[in-house]
């Protein structure tokens, strides 16, 4: 594909289609080819490069502002010929697809007879360098035009090392000025490109789009492993969530995943770094009997060793019973203070069998305390005690009647302010040891980041 030839043919077509005052367009056709070939660089050196790839395959795909499809470049443009332009900017620069005021001096007249080819505007002629500024700060005395350069020595910024016939610094005016990776000079723009047509591209990226070899122009060009043609003309797994199966979302085109953020997950689950919805990503999101977050499964779990129970999770339960994955008060008798024994419920008690008690005493397994068998000894119990005939133990009470205006916690035979949690305020618990309402009996009664201390109070 020869861009200069396309530019001239477009302008010639425009001149032929406009039978009346189209002399300016025809004169532009007759002006030297370099004027046309460099105008896209003159108007905006990067306009074409900034267009998104794979914009169109036909004009109906383009929208307002750039309603036409340049099928050679596969991009949407404002114009393809002068007839596409309005009165204010009547000339189509076919190399960039933009409407401009002029491409050559022949497009200008009156008080502004010179075409500023960099900007596509008609301007007054300059008399010396003082009349010029900005990028075009040199006055070409022969043409009265402000230019950027009068030779290659005036160039060298941003890889624009060549001075073209319009006095504009460009990357190239011919192919041998381009590097191996972009071997072709897009003369109409003064830039080096990878291709001019599909024939210049290889199998992996067979489509020439805006002078770059790309993978696709539509989904049918893509393989099953990456079935979607993205706006940059690369084959990807997905561009938007609708490209993915139900229940998954698009993760930056790389994959369809379960989630990319927490709102993609149901039931208050959390999106982890592996784009999977999980119950937790850290211990702070767990609690109760499963206070630890398993990083592999993303599920809250119990303990796996004593070290976890000693991490201030529960100072009253520093040992891990691994079969149940629970932090407990003890595992063996040696874990208990003094002569206390470790019960089957992993609590430290005064006794777990009668042998642990003194003469005349029995072990109350419910309370883990040694008591005097009173069933055949009416005097066995002391003041303010009654005999529990079922166990033979002296207890503080069996019913509320045994207490003086207080409640009987029957399970432990203790008089106090409560016999059950229901008699305590709010979330307070009834302590069976003394029948008093307390803030907590175990860490499970406290907030996630707190533990239950020896005074039955939640601490952080």
């Amino acid at each position: 594909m020869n861009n200069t030839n396309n530019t001239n043919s477009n302008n010639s077509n425009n001149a032929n289609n406009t039978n009346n005052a189209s002399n300016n367009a025809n004169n532009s056709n007759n002006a030297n080819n370099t004027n046309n070939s460099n105008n896209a660089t003159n108007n905006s050196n990067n306009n074409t490069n900034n267009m998104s790839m794979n914009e169109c395959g036909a004009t109906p795909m383009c929208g307002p502002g750039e309603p036409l499809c340049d099928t050679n470049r596969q991009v949407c443009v404002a114009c393809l010929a002068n007839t596409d332009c309005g009165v204010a900017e009547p000339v189509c620069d076919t190399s960039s697809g933009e409407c401009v005021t002029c491409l050559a001096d022949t497009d200008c007249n009156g008080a502004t007879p010179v075409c500023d080819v960099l900007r596509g505007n008609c301007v007054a002629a300059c008399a010396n360098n003082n009349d010029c500024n900005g990028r075009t700060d040199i006055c070409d005395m022969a043409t009265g035009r402000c230019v950027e350069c009068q030779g290659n020595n005036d160039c060298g910024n941003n890889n624009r090392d060549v001075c073209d016939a319009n006095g504009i610094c460009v990357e190239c005016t011919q192919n041998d000025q381009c590097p191996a990776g972009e071997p072709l000079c897009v003369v109409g723009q003064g830039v080096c490109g990878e291709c001019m047509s599909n024939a210049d591209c290889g199998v992996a990226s067979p489509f020439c789009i805006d002078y770059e070899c790309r993978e696709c122009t539509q989904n049918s060009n893509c393989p099953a492993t990456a079935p979607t043609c993205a706006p940059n003309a690369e084959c990807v797994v997905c561009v938007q969530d609708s490209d993915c199966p139900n229940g998954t979302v698009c993760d930056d085109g790389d994959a369809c995943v379960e989630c990319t953020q927490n709102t993609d997950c149901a039931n208050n689950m959390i999106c982890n770094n592996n784009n999977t919805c999980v119950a937790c990503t850290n211990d702070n999101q767990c609690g109760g009997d499963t206070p630890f977050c398993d990083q592999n499964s993303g599920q809250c779990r119990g303990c796996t060793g004593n070290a976890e129970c000693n991490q201030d999770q529960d100072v009253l339960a520093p040992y891990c019973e691994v079969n149940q994955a629970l932090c407990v008060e003890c595992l063996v008798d040696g874990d208990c203070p003094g002569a206390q024994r470790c019960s089957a419920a992993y609590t430290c008690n005064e006794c777990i069998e009668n042998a642990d008690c003194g003469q005349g005493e029995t072990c109350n397994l419910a309370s883990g305390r040694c008591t005097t068998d009173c069933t055949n000894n009416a005097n066995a119990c002391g003041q303010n005690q009654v005999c529990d005939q079922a166990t033979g133990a002296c207890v503080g009470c069996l019913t509320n009647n045994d207490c003086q205006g207080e409640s009987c916690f029957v399970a432990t035979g203790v008089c106090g302010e409560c016999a059950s949690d229901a008699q305590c305020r709010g979330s307070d618990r009834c302590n069976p040891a003394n029948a008093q309402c307390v803030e907590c009996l175990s860490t499970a009664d406290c907030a996630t980041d707190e533990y239950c201390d020896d005074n039955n109070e939640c601490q952080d």
Side-chain angles (χ1 to χ4, degrees):
M1 180 180 73
N2 187 303
N3 193 67
T4 306
N5 292 340
N6 285 343
T7 301
N8 287 333
S9 66
N10 282 338
N11 285 337
S12 296
N13 291 338
N14 185 56
N16 292 332
N17 290 336
T18 308
N19 295 324
N20 47 8
S22 294
N23 289 333
N24 284 344
N26 287 326
N27 287 337
S28 295
N29 300 335
N30 295 328
N32 84 40
N33 288 341
T34 311
N35 286 346
N36 282 338
S37 67
N38 288 310
N39 195 59
T41 302
N42 300 339
N43 282 324
S44 175
N45 195 46
N46 293 318
N47 273 353
T48 301
N49 292 336
N50 288 336
M51 289 181 180
S52 63
M53 298 293 182
N54 194 27
E55 282 192 351
C56 64
T59 293
M61 296 179 66
C62 299
E66 293 180 328
L68 304 173
C69 182
D70 183 339
T71 55
N72 290 324
R73 294 164 52 209
Q74 290 289 312
V75 294
C76 295
V77 295
C79 66
L80 296 173
N82 289 357
T83 51
D84 300 322
C85 298
V87 175
E89 294 177 316
V91 181
C92 181
D93 176 6
T94 54
S95 65
S96 68
E98 294 183 349
C99 292
V100 295
T101 303
C102 62
L103 291 175
D105 290 351
T106 50
D107 296 327
C108 303
N109 53 51
T112 55
V114 177
C115 184
D116 179 350
V117 291
L118 180 65
R119 300 172 181 85
N121 294 328
C122 293
V123 297
C126 63
N128 52 56
N129 289 351
N130 292 333
D131 295 332
C132 301
N133 54 58
R135 181 173 160 186
T136 52
D137 56 358
I138 301 171
C139 182
D140 184 340
M141 307 296 288
T143 63
R145 177 182 293 114
C146 291
V147 297
E148 185 177 11
C149 59
Q150 291 184 311
N152 291 349
N153 290 338
D154 296 327
C155 299
N157 293 327
N158 301 319
N159 295 322
R160 295 183 291 108
D161 301 323
V162 180
C163 186
D164 73 4
N166 285 320
I168 303 301
C169 293
V170 295
E171 287 185 15
C172 63
T173 56
Q174 55 194 34
N175 291 347
D176 59 9
Q177 293 163 338
C178 294
E182 295 179 320
L184 304 175
C185 185
V186 184
V187 179
Q189 300 183 48
V191 296
C192 294
E194 189 176 6
C195 59
M196 291 292 187
S197 69
N198 291 352
D200 298 324
C201 299
V203 175
S205 299
F207 299 98
C208 186
I209 301 175
D210 211 10
Y211 314 116
E212 290 185 25
C213 291
R214 310 300 291 183
E215 290 183 332
C216 60
T217 60
Q218 54 191 359
N219 292 350
S220 60
N221 303 141
C222 297
T225 53
T228 305
C229 188
N232 65 353
E234 291 183 358
C235 292
V236 296
V237 173
C238 56
V239 172
Q240 53 195 359
D241 293 348
S242 59
D243 297 328
C244 296
N246 288 339
T248 60
V249 295
C250 185
D251 182 20
D252 294 330
D254 296 328
C256 291
V257 296
E258 186 176 4
C259 62
T260 58
Q261 54 190 348
N262 291 347
T263 53
D264 296 328
C265 300
N267 301 322
N268 296 318
M269 297 188 80
I270 298 162
C271 187
N272 67 11
N273 292 334
N274 295 323
N275 302 112
T276 302
C277 292
V278 295
C280 64
T281 57
N282 59 69
D283 292 350
N284 292 333
Q285 295 154 351
C286 301
D289 290 338
T290 55
F292 308 104
C293 183
D294 187 318
Q295 295 300 314
N296 292 325
S297 67
Q299 300 298 314
C300 292
R301 60 168 176 79
C303 60
T304 57
N306 293 346
E308 290 181 327
C309 296
N310 284 321
Q311 294 174 353
D312 288 334
Q313 293 292 330
D314 193 341
V315 295
L316 297 181
Y319 302 100
C320 182
E321 203 294 295
V322 293
N323 292 326
Q324 300 180 59
L326 290 175
C327 291
V328 295
E329 187 177 3
C330 62
L331 296 174
V332 295
D333 292 347
D335 297 332
C336 296
Q340 289 188 5
R341 302 287 305 279
C342 187
S343 73
Y346 306 104
T347 59
C348 291
N349 296 337
E350 182 183 5
C351 63
I352 59 174
E353 58 184 349
N354 291 340
D356 299 328
C357 301
Q359 187 175 3
E361 293 181 323
T362 58
C363 183
N364 186 326
L365 297 180
S367 66
R369 286 188 267 179
C370 293
T371 61
T372 302
D373 189 341
C374 60
T375 53
N376 297 312
N377 185 355
N379 299 317
C381 299
Q383 188 178 5
N384 297 326
Q385 287 189 319
V386 293
C387 182
D388 185 347
Q389 296 295 320
T391 63
C394 292
V395 295
C397 62
L398 293 174
T399 67
N400 289 345
N401 293 333
D402 299 326
C403 301
Q404 297 178 357
E406 294 183 316
S407 299
C408 179
F409 200 110
V410 177
T412 55
V414 177
C415 290
E417 64 177 328
C418 61
S420 67
D421 293 344
Q423 292 178 285
C424 297
R425 292 179 300 177
S427 61
D428 283 357
R429 302 291 305 280
C430 186
N431 189 346
N434 57 18
Q436 299 297 310
C437 291
V438 294
E439 187 176 5
C440 61
L441 295 178
S442 70
T443 295
D445 299 325
C446 300
T448 300
D449 296 326
E450 296 180 333
Y451 66 90
C452 187
D453 68 11
D454 291 337
N455 296 319
N456 300 108
E457 294 179 349
C458 292
Q459 303 290 343
D460 56 27

